Amino acid sequence: MLNQNFDRHRRLRNSAAMRDLVRETVLHTDDLIYPIFVKEGQEPKTEVTSMPGVFQFPLHELESEVATLIDLGIKAIILFGLPDDKDDVGSGAYHDHGIVQEAIRLVKRVAPEMIVIADTCLCEFTDHGHCGIFENGDVENDKSLELLKKTAISQAEAGADIIAPSNMMDGFVKIIREGLDEAGYNNIPIMSYAVKYASAFYGPFRDAANSAPQFGDRKTYQMDPANRLEALREAASDEREGADFLIVKPSLSYMDIIRDVRNQTNLPVVAYNVSGEYAMVKAASANGWIDEKRIVLEMLTSMKRAGVSLIITYFAKDVATYLKGDA
């Protein structure tokens, strides 16, 4: 006879109902933020080759996409703009009638209940593809801050609910917070890309946003993937300077960082499930190598288990469909 002096952990796994009863981490549609790429012009929406199911939308097709998201129960989006014209200072980013500003106005007009987050950066609008003013072989930090502040204010004026600066300039949260407050937008929160690594997982995004650097790289302002303690310093700085949310980007290879940041702060922590992570799953699924639904739900649940409150993900529509039981 076996010695039965051991723990019986399987008692809590012996049926689906029991597993549901003791489940510690639950993924909800309310956790999801869906990225949308909006382009100028009248051309129809264009699928991003490296991101199946993700499109660049002209303004006249944006309303239909927003209606689809509302039907799925998705309550928040983050907007990225694709301008027709670019220059060396990214003036389209802070123009009163820039593509992001016009997209914000449209969404708030047709779906005022939708939370609209504005990505606040210059890289999609500069002809060199960097996230600020490029001089003397590098991005000029302090000169770039003034343009980022102008961009944030123009997005708030257009009706953005949340400003999300993604440029990783030193002091960007402080300057944007001061600018918003001085302009009368003291109730607009900042969702800072507090911990953003110089990652190889961004490749498909740069196809989607037409934002690849024309020369050099972003390693002087985005973080070295080898560093952990630096992430805690970055997050702490942004919190001191007035951030209301802290983003960790990418997510899958940085679960340790998500947990570290979660343990350090009481602010909501946001994971950005980035384009390369999305594209790899879609490619493997298209080849029949994985069960896409199970993989996606496991990935996003693991992000919540690591400590995030919200997830920016291109899978948002898929996940909302899964959670409704329609797939």
Side-chain angles (χ1 to χ4, degrees):
M1 185 174 178
L2 290 174
N3 181 349
Q4 297 186 7
N5 185 24
F6 50 78
D7 295 330
R8 296 282 186 178
H9 299 292
R10 291 180 60 186
R11 291 171 182 152
L12 302 185
R13 306 175 195 152
N14 60 21
S15 70
M18 184 68 75
R19 292 190 294 275
D20 288 346
L21 186 67
V22 299
R23 182 161 293 129
E24 300 172 25
T25 305
V26 180
L27 186 65
H28 299 283
T29 305
D30 288 350
D31 303 327
L32 307 175
I33 300 169
Y34 187 58
I36 299 181
F37 300 95
V38 187
K39 63 180 180 178
E40 292 185 328
Q42 298 300 311
E43 292 294 321
K45 68 180 183 181
T46 306
E47 188 170 26
V48 180
T49 304
S50 56
M51 299 176 69
V54 174
F55 294 84
Q56 299 168 337
F57 288 93
L59 285 175
H60 66 270
E61 294 191 51
L62 183 56
E63 181 176 351
S64 175
E65 178 71 354
V66 170
T68 297
L69 296 173
I70 290 172
D71 287 345
L72 288 169
I74 294 170
K75 299 177 181 178
I77 60 174
I78 183 166
L79 293 174
F80 299 90
L82 285 71
D84 281 342
D85 299 311
K86 304 185 180 190
D87 57 34
D88 61 349
V89 293
S91 59
Y94 44 88
H95 194 286
D96 288 344
H97 297 285
I99 183 60
V100 170
Q101 287 78 0
E102 291 300 312
I104 294 168
R105 293 186 184 101
L106 187 153
V107 175
K108 296 308 291 185
R109 184 172 68 250
V110 303
E113 71 277 22
M114 179 68 77
I115 294 293
V116 178
I117 305 165
D119 180 79
T120 305
C121 196
L122 303 180
C123 62
E124 297 141 46
F125 300 89
T126 54
D127 53 16
H128 46 73
H130 281 281
C131 299
I133 297 175
F134 198 87
E135 293 180 358
N136 304 315
D138 198 5
V139 172
E140 291 290 330
N141 192 93
D142 295 5
K143 291 181 181 179
S144 300
L145 293 177
E146 289 303 312
L147 299 186
L148 294 165
K149 179 173 71 173
K150 288 178 62 176
T151 301
I153 293 170
S154 72
Q155 292 169 339
E157 288 174 345
D161 296 292
I162 299 173
I163 298 300
S166 60
N167 49 83
M168 288 294 287
M169 296 295 107
D170 291 339
F172 68 142
V173 173
K174 180 178 187 292
I175 295 299
I176 288 173
R177 183 73 272 160
E178 290 175 352
L180 290 172
D181 291 352
E182 290 167 2
Y185 297 109
N186 55 299
N187 287 326
I188 299 293
I190 295 175
M191 181 181 285
S192 171
Y193 287 69
V195 181
K196 182 177 181 181
Y197 286 90
S199 172
F201 284 100
Y202 302 152
F205 174 90
R206 291 171 182 172
D207 293 340
N210 300 332
S211 63
Q214 297 303 300
F215 46 83
D217 55 42
R218 295 175 176 154
K219 293 180 180 179
T220 66
Y221 47 103
Q222 294 179 359
M223 284 181 49
D224 184 340
N227 289 359
R228 171 175 168 262
L229 297 179
E230 182 184 2
L232 301 182
R233 297 197 298 271
E234 288 276 3
S237 291
D238 287 5
E239 184 166 357
R240 285 195 304 270
E241 292 175 9
D244 302 281
F245 305 79
L246 302 174
I247 297 174
V248 177
K249 179 182 181 183
S251 56
L252 287 180
S253 292
Y254 298 87
M255 294 289 193
D256 58 325
I257 306 301
I258 289 172
R259 172 47 59 185
D260 286 340
V261 173
R262 171 75 286 154
N263 289 343
Q264 176 176 277
T265 185
N266 290 320
L267 294 179
V269 178
V270 184
Y272 199 139
N273 177 210
V274 300
S275 60
E277 297 165 350
Y278 174 88
M280 289 191 300
V281 171
K282 286 293 184 180
S285 177
N287 280 284
W289 297 336
I290 60 170
D291 180 329
E292 182 176 330
K293 176 181 175 179
R294 290 186 63 195
I295 287 283
V296 170
L297 291 175
E298 184 175 336
M299 281 170 38
L300 270 61
T301 299
S302 71
M303 294 170 201
K304 283 204 69 180
R305 189 187 67 242
V308 303
S309 303
L310 300 166
I311 304 169
I312 302 170
T313 179
Y314 305 97
F315 289 114
K317 291 196 293 185
D318 294 333
V319 171
T321 301
Y322 302 153
L323 296 179
K324 286 178 68 176
D326 296 342

